[in-house]
Amino acid sequence: MDTQRLVDTARTLVAGDRGLLAMDESTPTCDKRFAKLGIPTTASMRRAYRDLIVTTPNLGRCISGAILYDETIRQQTLAGTPFAQALEQAGIVPGIKVDAGAKPLAGFADEVVTEGLDGLRERLGEYAGMGARFAKWRAVIRIGPMIPSLGCVAANAHALARYAALCQEAGLVPIVEPEVLMDGDHTLERCREVTESTLALVFEQLRAQRVLLEGMLLKPNMILPGEAAADPGSVDAVADATVGCFLRVVPAAVPGIAFLSGGQASARASAHLNAMNLRFRGRMPWALAFSFARAIQQPALEIWRGQAANVGAAQQALFHRADCNRAARRGDYDAAADAPRAA
Ligand code: 13P
């Protein structure tokens, strides 16, 4: 295992004020988002959309790494360059989603476990050969009156740790993503409790599987009330609960935390990240970055709608959101100036 290379890649991904762009929607998820906007759900439209993203002018100023999906890493841009190579040319490190999705967990109603460990060593070798330098695996934890169960969290934590160890063996930096979903009407405090106990179990398993903490990144949810909760919580309350939770359970050896957006409105996700970096400046042992999909892509997708004539405007919207999140990393995001565009 080339430890120094892993550490260098992990640090590069969260260095300065850049962050990650998740563009790794599985084909069914991408098609669902296309269908909502009347975009044809074909491989060539998915390719055109990913081309739009990767060729956005100056994207590398804001984005350090982009996560691809299996279909995309095997495709080429419209100009004929393999996507992973096109990202490198734009100054963006290519990564790859390697989990096989969340499936019902036998014996646990309403809970899921992420699959994909079988054959993973071979797939990681293939992706590394295609230029990927980091990987992602997402575990999904649902909150309900009686869930999550310990059995569900433990199964997901174990799988995340097995995946992370295999990635490091293959020379890929693992992004470890245990997502506690926003679905439901739970309080912010309940999200904090579930996130804290989930992360504690995840790090216990990462240690048990001998994962090099310095050569990985954590991709967690922010601590938010459920989307249907009566009290949506203030930006500062979310920032304080989130960083307060991580200070208790995320080891200082981890170089960076890069949030998922989880379905929050784009401007709200930027505001939360900004408040965390502003309020805890100089008091966090890790870099606090972003690895958003929807909170960067959604406005651009809605402008594009599958029309070649809209590519330029969509790219401007994509760059704008990436740039807002870059500002949020510095604590410089101007929510008032963003409001007219985000509305
Ligand atoms: P969202 O930012 O849309 O939650 O997606 C992040 C991600 O990569 C989910 O796995």
Side-chain angles (χ1 to χ4, degrees):
M1 183 164 93
D2 185 345
T3 301
Q4 195 53 50
R5 185 162 181 264
L6 289 171
V7 172
D8 290 346
T9 304
R11 286 189 186 154
T12 299
L13 288 170
V14 292
D17 56 7
R18 295 193 301 165
L20 294 131
L21 169 62
M23 50 179 292
D24 62 332
E25 298 81 9
S26 65
T27 297
T29 300
C30 186
D31 284 353
K32 215 186 305 165
R33 290 181 190 161
F34 277 15
K36 257 191 195 158
L37 297 167
I39 302 167
T41 54
T42 61
S44 64
M45 288 309 266
R46 291 190 294 274
R47 177 180 171 210
Y49 178 57
R50 268 73 185 246
D51 180 271
L52 176 163
I53 294 175
V54 169
T55 62
T56 293
N58 302 316
L59 192 63
R61 282 191 202 157
C62 313
I63 299 299
S64 56
I67 314 170
L68 301 173
Y69 180 59
D70 181 79
E71 178 182 71
T72 318
I73 202 170
R74 298 176 193 282
Q75 288 174 330
Q76 301 181 341
T77 61
L78 299 180
T81 310
F83 273 106
Q85 216 176 303
L87 285 170
E88 289 278 9
Q89 285 166 6
I92 298 171
V93 179
I96 181 77
K97 168 201 183 82
V98 301
D99 65 69
K103 306 284 158 60
L105 179 60
F108 294 76
D110 299 328
E111 293 192 285
V112 291
V113 64
T114 301
E115 296 189 347
L117 287 172
D118 287 355
L120 182 57
R121 174 176 278 127
E122 292 70 27
R123 289 196 291 125
L124 291 172
E126 188 190 7
Y127 290 137
M130 290 193 270
R133 288 161 57 194
F134 69 100
K136 185 193 98 170
W137 177 292
R138 172 176 177 253
V140 178
I141 306 295
R142 292 185 183 140
I143 296 183
M146 302 295 285
I147 59 172
S149 64
L150 179 58
C152 168
V153 177
N156 278 292
H158 181 74
L160 277 167
R162 291 273 325 278
Y163 138 81
L166 282 161
C167 283
Q168 292 188 336
E169 179 191 85
L172 300 178
V173 168
I175 297 194
V176 172
E177 181 180 8
E179 175 174 6
V180 176
L181 294 181
M182 277 170 73
D183 301 10
D185 60 0
H186 51 270
T187 61
L188 177 137
E189 180 54 25
R190 173 98 171 109
C191 177
R192 196 194 63 77
E193 270 169 29
V194 171
T195 302
E196 184 171 326
S197 56
T198 298
L199 290 176
L201 217 51
V202 166
F203 280 100
E204 197 180 300
Q205 286 294 314
L206 289 167
R207 280 181 200 281
Q209 296 302 322
R210 303 183 176 170
V211 172
L212 178 75
L213 299 179
E214 293 82 353
M216 62 159 274
L217 296 175
L218 179 69
K219 175 163 174 167
N221 51 285
M222 297 181 188
I223 309 285
L224 302 163
E227 49 162 19
D231 177 4
S234 71
V235 168
D236 287 351
V238 168
D240 290 357
T242 304
V243 180
C245 169
F246 295 167
L247 285 170
R248 295 171 65 98
V249 283
V250 183
V254 174
I257 295 174
F259 289 105
L260 59 93
S261 58
Q264 300 176 68
S266 301
R268 187 81 174 179
S270 302
H272 286 149
L273 181 63
N274 188 66
M276 290 181 220
N277 278 309
L278 200 56
R279 291 164 76 80
F280 290 87
R281 201 194 304 266
R283 291 194 284 145
M284 298 184 288
W286 0 257
L288 210 57
F290 55 90
S291 177
F292 298 157
R294 282 164 288 180
I296 293 179
Q297 290 184 44
Q298 196 58 32
L301 182 62
E302 287 173 16
I303 291 170
W304 177 57
R305 289 181 183 263
Q307 305 296 320
N310 298 337
V311 165
Q315 288 183 326
Q316 277 182 23
L318 188 84
F319 181 84
H320 173 69
R321 286 265 49 94
D323 200 37
C324 283
N325 291 308
R326 179 182 177 211
R329 280 213 57 186
R330 301 188 302 266
D332 279 347
Y333 169 65
D334 186 343
D338 187 30
R341 294 191 65 159

